PDB file of all heavy atoms in Angstrom:
ATOM      1  N   ASN A   8      74.933 136.805  87.939  1.00 96.00           N
ATOM      2  CA  ASN A   8      74.551 136.574  89.275  1.00 96.00           C
ATOM      3  C   ASN A   8      75.195 137.545  90.304  1.00 96.00           C
ATOM      4  O   ASN A   8      75.572 137.197  91.494  1.00 96.00           O
ATOM      5  CB  ASN A   8      75.000 135.112  89.758  1.00 96.00           C
ATOM      6  CG  ASN A   8      74.505 134.079  88.942  1.00 96.00           C
ATOM      7  OD1 ASN A   8      73.398 134.250  88.325  1.00 96.00           O
ATOM      8  ND2 ASN A   8      75.479 133.130  88.545  1.00 96.00           N
ATOM      9  N   ASN A   9      75.095 138.850  89.803  1.00 96.00           N
ATOM     10  CA  ASN A   9      75.600 139.856  90.782  1.00 96.00           C
ATOM     11  C   ASN A   9      77.003 139.879  91.009  1.00 96.00           C
ATOM     12  O   ASN A   9      77.558 140.505  91.992  1.00 96.00           O
ATOM     13  CB  ASN A   9      74.882 139.789  92.135  1.00 96.00           C
ATOM     14  CG  ASN A   9      74.044 140.999  92.414  1.00 96.00           C
ATOM     15  OD1 ASN A   9      74.419 142.059  92.070  1.00 96.00           O
ATOM     16  ND2 ASN A   9      72.787 140.739  92.918  1.00 96.00           N
ATOM     17  N   ILE A  10      77.844 139.071  90.171  1.00 98.00           N
ATOM     18  CA  ILE A  10      79.308 138.954  90.351  1.00 98.00           C
ATOM     19  C   ILE A  10      79.957 139.626  89.118  1.00 98.00           C
ATOM     20  O   ILE A  10      79.635 139.099  88.101  1.00 98.00           O
ATOM     21  CB  ILE A  10      79.728 137.556  90.662  1.00 98.00           C
ATOM     22  CG1 ILE A  10      79.123 136.990  91.857  1.00 98.00           C
ATOM     23  CG2 ILE A  10      81.278 137.464  90.735  1.00 98.00           C
ATOM     24  CD1 ILE A  10      79.390 135.457  92.188  1.00 98.00           C
ATOM     25  N   LEU A  11      80.759 140.567  89.418  1.00 98.00           N
ATOM     26  CA  LEU A  11      81.625 141.247  88.311  1.00 98.00           C
ATOM     27  C   LEU A  11      82.993 140.495  88.292  1.00 98.00           C
ATOM     28  O   LEU A  11      83.638 140.725  89.325  1.00 98.00           O
ATOM     29  CB  LEU A  11      81.681 142.724  88.513  1.00 98.00           C
ATOM     30  CG  LEU A  11      82.578 143.501  87.471  1.00 98.00           C
ATOM     31  CD1 LEU A  11      81.960 143.358  86.056  1.00 98.00           C
ATOM     32  CD2 LEU A  11      82.708 144.999  87.885  1.00 98.00           C
ATOM     33  N   THR A  12      83.395 139.913  87.287  1.00 98.00           N
ATOM     34  CA  THR A  12      84.681 139.376  87.191  1.00 98.00           C
ATOM     35  C   THR A  12      85.508 140.102  86.141  1.00 98.00           C
ATOM     36  O   THR A  12      85.073 140.254  85.130  1.00 98.00           O
ATOM     37  CB  THR A  12      84.626 137.880  86.776  1.00 98.00           C
ATOM     38  OG1 THR A  12      83.742 137.203  87.631  1.00 98.00           O
ATOM     39  CG2 THR A  12      85.999 137.237  86.905  1.00 98.00           C
ATOM     40  N   ALA A  13      86.687 140.604  86.690  1.00 98.00           N
ATOM     41  CA  ALA A  13      87.658 141.240  85.725  1.00 98.00           C
ATOM     42  C   ALA A  13      88.858 140.309  85.572  1.00 98.00           C
ATOM     43  O   ALA A  13      89.551 140.042  86.462  1.00 98.00           O
ATOM     44  CB  ALA A  13      87.994 142.547  86.272  1.00 98.00           C
ATOM     45  N   TYR A  14      89.088 139.943  84.314  1.00 98.00           N
ATOM     46  CA  TYR A  14      90.298 139.117  83.919  1.00 98.00           C
ATOM     47  C   TYR A  14      91.399 140.094  83.517  1.00 98.00           C
ATOM     48  O   TYR A  14      91.321 140.751  82.585  1.00 98.00           O
ATOM     49  CB  TYR A  14      89.993 138.257  82.828  1.00 98.00           C
ATOM     50  CG  TYR A  14      88.883 137.300  83.007  1.00 98.00           C
ATOM     51  CD1 TYR A  14      87.492 137.499  82.884  1.00 98.00           C
ATOM     52  CD2 TYR A  14      89.199 136.003  83.742  1.00 98.00           C
ATOM     53  CE1 TYR A  14      86.501 136.739  83.146  1.00 98.00           C
ATOM     54  CE2 TYR A  14      88.221 135.093  84.076  1.00 98.00           C
ATOM     55  CZ  TYR A  14      86.814 135.415  83.752  1.00 98.00           C
ATOM     56  OH  TYR A  14      85.915 134.559  84.036  1.00 98.00           O
ATOM     57  N   ILE A  15      92.416 140.342  84.321  1.00 97.00           N
ATOM     58  CA  ILE A  15      93.586 141.219  84.128  1.00 97.00           C
ATOM     59  C   ILE A  15      94.495 140.469  83.320  1.00 97.00           C
ATOM     60  O   ILE A  15      94.926 139.340  83.612  1.00 97.00           O
ATOM     61  CB  ILE A  15      94.178 141.740  85.414  1.00 97.00           C
ATOM     62  CG1 ILE A  15      93.005 142.379  86.266  1.00 97.00           C
ATOM     63  CG2 ILE A  15      95.231 142.753  85.185  1.00 97.00           C
ATOM     64  CD1 ILE A  15      93.490 142.798  87.670  1.00 97.00           C
ATOM     65  N   ASP A  16      94.920 141.139  82.265  1.00 96.00           N
ATOM     66  CA  ASP A  16      95.849 140.436  81.337  1.00 96.00           C
ATOM     67  C   ASP A  16      97.117 141.201  81.173  1.00 96.00           C
ATOM     68  O   ASP A  16      97.129 142.576  80.984  1.00 96.00           O
ATOM     69  CB  ASP A  16      95.164 140.385  79.970  1.00 96.00           C
ATOM     70  CG  ASP A  16      95.773 139.312  79.065  1.00 96.00           C
ATOM     71  OD1 ASP A  16      96.297 138.363  79.511  1.00 96.00           O
ATOM     72  OD2 ASP A  16      95.811 139.509  77.731  1.00 96.00           O
ATOM     73  N   GLY A  17      98.360 140.605  81.256  1.00 97.00           N
ATOM     74  CA  GLY A  17      99.637 141.267  80.870  1.00 97.00           C
ATOM     75  C   GLY A  17     100.228 141.756  82.154  1.00 97.00           C
ATOM     76  O   GLY A  17     100.373 141.130  83.276  1.00 97.00           O
ATOM     77  N   GLU A  18     100.983 142.950  82.064  1.00 97.00           N
ATOM     78  CA  GLU A  18     101.772 143.487  83.135  1.00 97.00           C
ATOM     79  C   GLU A  18     101.025 144.448  83.932  1.00 97.00           C
ATOM     80  O   GLU A  18     100.337 145.453  83.316  1.00 97.00           O
ATOM     81  CB  GLU A  18     103.085 143.960  82.555  1.00 97.00           C
ATOM     82  CG  GLU A  18     103.695 143.053  81.682  1.00 97.00           C
ATOM     83  CD  GLU A  18     105.257 143.348  81.283  1.00 97.00           C
ATOM     84  OE1 GLU A  18     105.515 144.698  81.028  1.00 97.00           O
ATOM     85  OE2 GLU A  18     106.110 142.521  81.338  1.00 97.00           O
ATOM     86  N   ILE A  19     101.229 144.475  85.274  1.00 98.00           N
ATOM     87  CA  ILE A  19     100.621 145.470  86.137  1.00 98.00           C
ATOM     88  C   ILE A  19     101.724 146.318  86.639  1.00 98.00           C
ATOM     89  O   ILE A  19     102.504 145.869  87.405  1.00 98.00           O
ATOM     90  CB  ILE A  19      99.830 144.898  87.294  1.00 98.00           C
ATOM     91  CG1 ILE A  19      98.725 143.970  86.794  1.00 98.00           C
ATOM     92  CG2 ILE A  19      99.220 146.159  88.081  1.00 98.00           C
ATOM     93  CD1 ILE A  19      97.828 143.337  87.950  1.00 98.00           C
ATOM     94  N   ASP A  20     101.804 147.545  86.161  1.00 98.00           N
ATOM     95  CA  ASP A  20     102.785 148.560  86.848  1.00 98.00           C
ATOM     96  C   ASP A  20     102.038 149.829  86.965  1.00 98.00           C
ATOM     97  O   ASP A  20     100.784 149.884  86.761  1.00 98.00           O
ATOM     98  CB  ASP A  20     104.017 148.738  85.924  1.00 98.00           C
ATOM     99  CG  ASP A  20     103.675 149.296  84.541  1.00 98.00           C
ATOM    100  OD1 ASP A  20     102.610 149.620  84.272  1.00 98.00           O
ATOM    101  OD2 ASP A  20     104.568 149.172  83.674  1.00 98.00           O
ATOM    102  N   HIS A  21     102.656 150.863  87.387  1.00 97.00           N
ATOM    103  CA  HIS A  21     102.000 152.133  87.636  1.00 97.00           C
ATOM    104  C   HIS A  21     101.199 152.603  86.354  1.00 97.00           C
ATOM    105  O   HIS A  21     100.058 153.122  86.457  1.00 97.00           O
ATOM    106  CB  HIS A  21     102.974 153.197  88.109  1.00 97.00           C
ATOM    107  CG  HIS A  21     102.761 154.642  87.938  1.00 97.00           C
ATOM    108  ND1 HIS A  21     103.332 155.372  86.955  1.00 97.00           N
ATOM    109  CD2 HIS A  21     101.767 155.394  88.482  1.00 97.00           C
ATOM    110  CE1 HIS A  21     102.861 156.537  86.999  1.00 97.00           C
ATOM    111  NE2 HIS A  21     101.912 156.700  87.931  1.00 97.00           N
ATOM    112  N   ASP A  22     101.863 152.413  85.180  1.00 97.00           N
ATOM    113  CA  ASP A  22     101.264 152.954  84.019  1.00 97.00           C
ATOM    114  C   ASP A  22      99.924 152.096  83.802  1.00 97.00           C
ATOM    115  O   ASP A  22      98.958 152.786  83.506  1.00 97.00           O
ATOM    116  CB  ASP A  22     102.278 152.635  82.894  1.00 97.00           C
ATOM    117  CG  ASP A  22     101.888 153.224  81.464  1.00 97.00           C
ATOM    118  OD1 ASP A  22     101.262 154.258  81.525  1.00 97.00           O
ATOM    119  OD2 ASP A  22     102.190 152.544  80.485  1.00 97.00           O
TER     120      ASP A  22
END
Side-chain angles (χ1 to χ4, degrees):
Chain A
N8 305 322
N9 246 318
I10 299 173
L11 173 65
T12 306
Y14 298 90
I15 303 171
D16 198 33
E18 307 197 318
I19 307 179
D20 60 12
H21 155 250
D22 188 34

